[in-house]
Amino acid sequence: MDGNGRWATSRLKPRIFGHRAGAQALDRVMHYCKDAGIKYLTVYAFSTENWKRSEEEVSGLMTLLSTFIKSKEKELLENGVRFRVIGRRTDLSEKLQKEIAELEEKTKGGAFTLVVALSYGSRDEIVRAAMKFKGSTEEEFAECLDTAGIPDPDLIIRTSGELRLSNFLMWQAAYSEFYFTDKLWPDFDKEEFDKALESFSKRERRMGGRLK
Ligand code: FPP
């Protein structure tokens, strides 16, 4: 969800103002996904590196997440949304960990899954998985990742003109398609979403094999 900071700065507002607009964009995108028949949406909300940001921004983001969790429960349940968090959740406050666990439990019957990556870094996830791993196959290893049970992403969208993966779902992205846009995340709208899906629909996905 890149570009929140720049979006706010260009309006002479504090960065947290952009993150709030980013949370609203997430609300919209969830609806676009559901309408398009997409079953899983994963958003990168806070990376293991984001702890290095100013205390003001970090605490503002944590408050925003906690508010999202508390205020969205009813709406998520009504809309059949399953909430899941990936990342090193022990980094989060005990209060936030508890709120997350409760929302995950309450929404576990939902048919649409919203995965929020929090204090997430792909290398960190892989190291933690390696510590648990006792098997010998890729499938068994994938079961040790935070994303166990969640299919690999078909499409990864990166906003705000950045052209990197930045430690996001590196194992899971092995065969993902990518869509890059200059649009800042708070401006991500239905038109851009449709463009991303259209671009995806034109790709020839061989997954390493050959199509006849
Ligand atoms: C990256 O943009 C965005 C973030 C680090 C935070 C994203 C978090 C939210 C939108 C909060 C809402 C999330 C939920 C699940 C309610 P940036 O700050 O790096 O922007 P910049 O590149 O323009 O500086």
Side-chain angles (χ1 to χ4, degrees):
M1 298 190 282
D2 265 309
N4 298 339
R6 275 164 281 169
W7 188 89
T9 307
S10 71
R11 287 164 176 75
L12 307 177
K13 299 278 190 188
R15 294 174 61 83
I16 194 65
F17 183 78
H19 296 314
R20 277 191 214 116
Q24 286 167 11
L26 171 59
D27 256 346
R28 292 196 301 272
V29 172
M30 254 198 295
H31 284 106
Y32 306 154
C33 286
K34 284 194 77 183
D35 292 348
I38 291 163
K39 296 270 189 293
Y40 294 85
L41 170 68
T42 302
V43 289
Y44 206 170
F46 197 90
S47 74
T48 44
E49 289 74 35
N50 284 154
W51 293 108
K52 294 184 206 136
R53 293 196 176 189
S54 73
E55 202 191 317
E56 187 191 0
E57 186 172 354
V58 170
S59 76
L61 273 168
M62 292 300 143
T63 306
L64 194 55
L65 289 161
S66 174
T67 309
F68 177 89
I69 289 169
K70 279 184 276 187
S71 65
K72 289 280 169 186
E73 180 182 322
K74 190 162 171 271
E75 194 183 321
L76 297 184
L77 284 169
E78 278 170 9
N79 285 289
V81 179
R82 176 176 194 179
F83 177 80
R84 253 185 88 166
V85 163
I86 57 171
R88 209 168 55 206
R89 53 175 86 196
T90 49
D91 287 349
L92 306 170
S93 72
E94 281 188 16
K95 183 169 163 277
L96 189 54
Q97 287 183 50
K98 192 163 166 272
E99 288 165 357
I100 289 169
E102 282 171 9
L103 190 59
E104 285 180 327
E105 179 59 30
K106 281 183 188 153
T107 59
K108 69 180 180 195
F112 172 89
T113 305
L114 170 67
V115 184
V116 179
L118 267 186
S119 198
Y120 177 84
S122 198
R123 288 183 175 178
D124 174 72
E125 179 193 28
I126 290 170
V127 169
R128 285 188 287 104
M131 311 272 276
K132 285 190 258 169
F133 187 49
K134 298 262 189 308
S136 57
T137 66
E138 290 180 12
E139 289 74 19
E140 284 163 344
F141 188 76
E143 280 306 303
C144 297
L145 293 166
D146 296 347
T147 49
I150 299 169
D152 289 343
D154 289 313
L155 175 64
I156 295 182
I157 299 176
R158 183 141 197 198
T159 54
S160 88
E162 309 287 357
L163 303 174
R164 297 179 295 277
L165 193 52
S166 296
N167 210 7
F168 184 60
L169 300 179
M170 293 192 304
W171 170 282
Q172 298 85 344
Y175 291 102
S176 301
E177 300 289 333
F178 287 82
Y179 180 82
F180 296 103
T181 170
D182 286 337
K183 249 196 202 291
L184 305 178
W185 173 252
D187 292 329
F188 195 87
D189 55 10
K190 181 70 167 58
E191 195 187 336
E192 195 62 43
F193 178 81
D194 287 344
K195 268 205 241 171
L197 290 202
E198 204 201 327
S199 162
F200 174 79
S201 71
K202 289 188 184 137
R203 315 273 175 97
E204 191 184 297
R205 303 189 77 201
R206 293 197 296 270
M207 316 291 242
R210 298 295 308 174
L211 292 182
K212 297 238 164 58

